[in-house]
Structures are given as C-alpha cells and as structure tokens.
Amino acid sequence: TVHTRDQIELPPPAIDNRLTVHPLWPEIDRISTEQIQAAFEGVGGEIGWQLFAEEGDMRMYRREVEVDGMVMDPLKAMHKVRGVSAREMCHYFFNPRYRYEWETTLEQMTIVEEISSDALVFHQTFKRIWPASQRDALFWSHVRASSENTFAVTNHSTTNTEYPANSSACIRLFVTVCLACRSTYPAGEQPTRDNITTSIAYCSTVNPGGWAPAGVLRAVYKREYPKFLKRFTGYVVDQCKDKPLAI
Ligand code: 6CM
C-alpha cells in the first residue's frame, strides 16, 4: 500500500510502545483515561453548569469556580461536525504542524520532547492580555484511540528543569484540556464524507497561576473559547475536504 505522509502521521490505532516505557506514562495514562470518561458525561441536568454560548450545534458551559480569588472555571463544550472523522479531528488538534493555523491565543510554541508518535511535550507562550502579565504553559499532549470510532487528545501541565516556571516575564499557567471525538454513520453503510458525523466534547480547566482580574479573564474566556472551537472545527473541515476520509 502507498501511504501519503499525512496518512502515516494520523493518530495510531494503538498506544505507541515508546510511550509505555516513558517515566510520564503512568500519569499520562491515568489522566487521559479520567479526562476522556469525564468528557463524554453530559452536563444536562447537572447543577452548576451554565450555558454561555450557543451557535448551531455548538454549546458551551462553564462552572464558576474561584480559589483564593483566582478564576478556575471549568469549561465544557459540545459540538457536532459533519464530513470529518474523530481521527482526523484529533490529528489536527495534536499535530504541532498545524497549530499556528488555528490557535489564535498562541504567541510561540516549542516542542520540548518527542516522547513517541502519540505523545509530545510542549512549551507555549500566549498573547498577553491587558492588564495581566503574559502567561506560558508547559504540558504533555497525548492522542489515543479509545472506544469504537473514538479518538481523544489530552493535554496536561508538567514540569521540566530546562523550562522552569516564572523565570521570565511570563507567569506559568496550569492547564488540563481534553478533546474527545466520536464518529457515527448509518448502520450497515460504509463511512464517507457525506454520511459521517463527529460529536465533540471539549473540556478545559485553566489555573492562571497568579493574579489576573476575574472579570477580564472571564470576558476573555467567553470570547475566545467559542472562537477557538468554531475556527478549529472549520479548519479541519476545510483541510479534509479534498482528502480521502481517514477512519
Ligand atoms: O485547547 C486549546 N489549545 C491547545 C493547543 O494550544 C492547548 C492549549 C492550552 C492552553 C489554554 C490556555 C488558555 C489561556 C489563553 C488566554 C491567555 C491567558 C492569559 C491569562 C491572563 C489574563 O490545549 C485551545 C485553547 C483555547 C483558549 C481560549
């Protein structure tokens, strides 16, 4: 079989052996499993979740949580996208080659460690939000196939002595993000761009790591998360439209 470069780099169907022998593996496995499970649990009827953005099939909820006056609101979003698979969605979210094309809060991204084909460590600086200090983050990112037609990417903060926190003008923030995607197509049919639908659950919790005005932060989140999810999903649809469907 002839593979294009793109097909080879799609998320692997099983965990890469190089990841399972890495010191971070137990943590990566545990947090990914927890996050993926939580992502597919609904918010419907659960107390405390407030809907703050709705557009087409996209719905975004947040819970207002403050710890010592710092905003740590968990966010949860649901979306449905036609014409792309869960595997494709996760490929574009995980692979750093595309990140600058859809990530609008990003200033700079550095690959700190290539653990395996399905796990990387990133350092990222974000655009400064007035009047707060600039933020950076250091996190591992792991993509995996979970159940049938389901793929997910989990990002979670970590440490690295070569990238110490709060050593530059940046304040280190802490993040846990999960993008979980599940594809469906009519029973008895072969999946195609015309009959496939991917349900997305995106969860994010950001600890700003130091003082930031609550009102400003909530306003930024309210504007930036819907913008991100619309832009990212639109980007993937656009990138995939002339390529064969990858399941
Ligand atoms: O999940 C998203 N992007 C991933 C790839 O970059 C990754 C990023 C996680 C970091 C999320 C940090 C958000 C904070 C951005 C605002 C700047 C902070 C300044 C705070 C001080 C006032 O998982 C998409 C993330 C979309 C965020 C809107």
Side-chain angles (χ1 to χ4, degrees), residues 93 99 103 124 126 129 132 155 177 202 217 224-225 228:
F93 191 72
R99 190 149 312 156
E103 175 65 280
Q124 291 189 175
F126 301 96
I129 294 161
N155 296 340
V177 160
Y202 174 84
L217 209 48
E224 296 299 327
Y225 279 114
F228 144 66

Side-chain angles (χ1 to χ4, degrees), residues 185-192 195:
Y185 45 89
E189 288 183 27
Q190 284 296 106
T192 66
N195 69 9

Side-chain angles (χ1 to χ4, degrees), residues 89-118:
M89 220 20 119
C90 289
H91 169 65
Y92 288 98
F93 191 72
F94 173 75
N95 197 312
R97 193 184 334 151
Y98 312 107
R99 190 149 312 156
Y100 286 108
E101 292 174 31
W102 57 263
E103 175 65 280
T104 55
T105 63
L106 189 59
E107 189 175 89
Q108 199 186 319
M109 172 196 70
T110 308
I111 301 168
V112 169
E113 189 181 351
E114 287 192 57
I115 299 176
S116 51
S117 62
D118 50 4

Side-chain angles (χ1 to χ4, degrees), residues 126-156:
F126 301 96
K127 289 177 183 160
R128 184 170 175 250
I129 294 161
W130 184 89
S133 307
Q134 193 182 14
R135 260 49 179 189
D136 69 352
L138 183 75
F139 60 91
W140 54 254
S141 184
H142 169 50
V143 63
R144 66 163 60 171
S146 68
S147 48
E148 186 87 348
N149 297 315
T150 304
F151 281 83
V153 180
T154 306
N155 296 340
H156 182 74

Side-chain angles (χ1 to χ4, degrees), residues 106 108-110 112 121-126 134-140 155-159 163-166 168 170-176 206-208:
L106 189 59
Q108 199 186 319
M109 172 196 70
T110 308
V112 169
V121 177
F122 293 101
H123 179 257
Q124 291 189 175
T125 60
F126 301 96
Q134 193 182 14
R135 260 49 179 189
D136 69 352
L138 183 75
F139 60 91
W140 54 254
N155 296 340
H156 182 74
S157 282
T158 187
T159 54
Y163 293 82
N166 310 324
S168 62
C170 280
I171 294 181
R172 179 69 44 90
L173 62 73
F174 303 93
V175 65
T176 304
V206 175
N207 173 341

